[in-house]
Amino acid sequence: MSTTNPEAYVIRSIRADEWPAAKELRLAALQDPIAPLAFLETYDQAAARPDSFWQERAAQACEGADGVQQIIAEGPDGAWVGTLTVLVEEPGTTDWAGFAVERKQGHLVGVFVRPEERGSGLTDVLFDAALEWAWSRGAERVRLIVHEENGRAQRFYRKVGFEPSGVIVPLGEGAEDSELEFVIERP
């Protein structure tokens, strides 16, 4: 467990030209032992993507972007040690799983903090920044989807105010596993 003070980190949105750092952090996340339960892509899939993919991804989620924001925790030495991405989902659209979006909402994805930084309070600070960004975009609620067997993540999400909505998301045709939607309503 880290004894690092979360105030020692800069919490901010990425810049478009920082795509190499965004790529490196995503690849690190996909090598985490919990990655098969936490992410919808594998390390090999992500590593095979061309630089143009990472450049476009960063440009779409950078500082000043409207519908998506990637937020990072930057250490005193400039290293990126944590990240999450917030998507804005508009009512009347369909989400990635095929469910109708009924209200304007934020959707947190890609949550990752390097193992040596876990337990420091850094994830709480990242979540605060993500919620603030979503609320500033008019979101009525924020949600995330978590694998039914990812108990560590579920415990953290409950600790920061998210609750299960009762929505169950199947992982695909023929898959026995499913994921659970957790939500927090706008204060």
Side-chain angles (χ1 to χ4, degrees):
M1 178 186 290
S2 174
T3 57
T4 304
N5 179 352
E7 286 90 36
Y9 292 85
V10 174
I11 308 299
R12 64 174 179 85
S13 297
I14 66 167
R15 294 184 295 274
D17 65 351
E18 293 177 313
W19 68 267
K23 175 184 176 181
E24 186 280 325
L25 193 57
R26 177 65 175 182
L27 292 176
L30 293 171
Q31 290 178 310
D32 191 272
I34 198 78
L37 293 181
F39 303 110
L40 296 177
E41 73 178 333
T42 67
Y43 174 85
D44 289 341
Q45 290 168 329
R49 296 187 190 279
D51 286 348
S52 59
F53 169 85
W54 299 101
Q55 291 164 351
E56 183 178 323
R57 184 173 172 152
Q60 291 176 343
C62 70
E63 186 176 54
D66 258 347
V68 183
Q69 200 76 177
Q70 183 176 358
I71 300 169
I72 55 110
E74 183 178 21
D77 61 356
W80 289 13
V81 298
T83 185
L84 54 70
T85 299
V86 188
L87 312 168
V88 174
E89 297 174 328
E90 296 289 343
T93 62
T94 304
D95 72 8
W96 65 272
F99 291 97
V101 176
E102 297 175 5
R103 303 190 282 168
K104 187 170 188 171
Q105 62 192 12
H107 186 162
L108 297 183
V109 298
V111 178
F112 176 71
V113 172
R114 293 188 191 269
E116 64 273 16
E117 301 295 332
R118 293 178 187 156
S120 68
L122 204 50
T123 311
D124 300 62
V125 177
L126 280 167
F127 266 67
D128 288 347
L131 291 172
E132 183 178 316
W133 188 83
W135 303 146
S136 76
R137 298 301 182 278
E140 296 177 31
R141 71 181 199 149
V142 174
R143 71 182 187 142
L144 51 84
I145 309 295
V146 59
H147 194 281
E148 63 187 351
E149 293 179 17
N150 193 344
R152 182 183 76 192
Q154 289 182 39
R155 284 187 297 279
F156 173 78
Y157 300 148
R158 286 178 189 273
K159 184 181 87 131
V160 295
F162 284 78
E163 292 293 332
S165 69
V167 172
I168 298 172
V169 181
L171 277 176
E173 191 129 348
E176 293 183 21
D177 294 350
S178 58
E179 296 188 314
L180 310 172
E181 179 186 67
F182 276 55
V183 299
I184 188 168
E185 297 291 331
R186 185 180 185 127

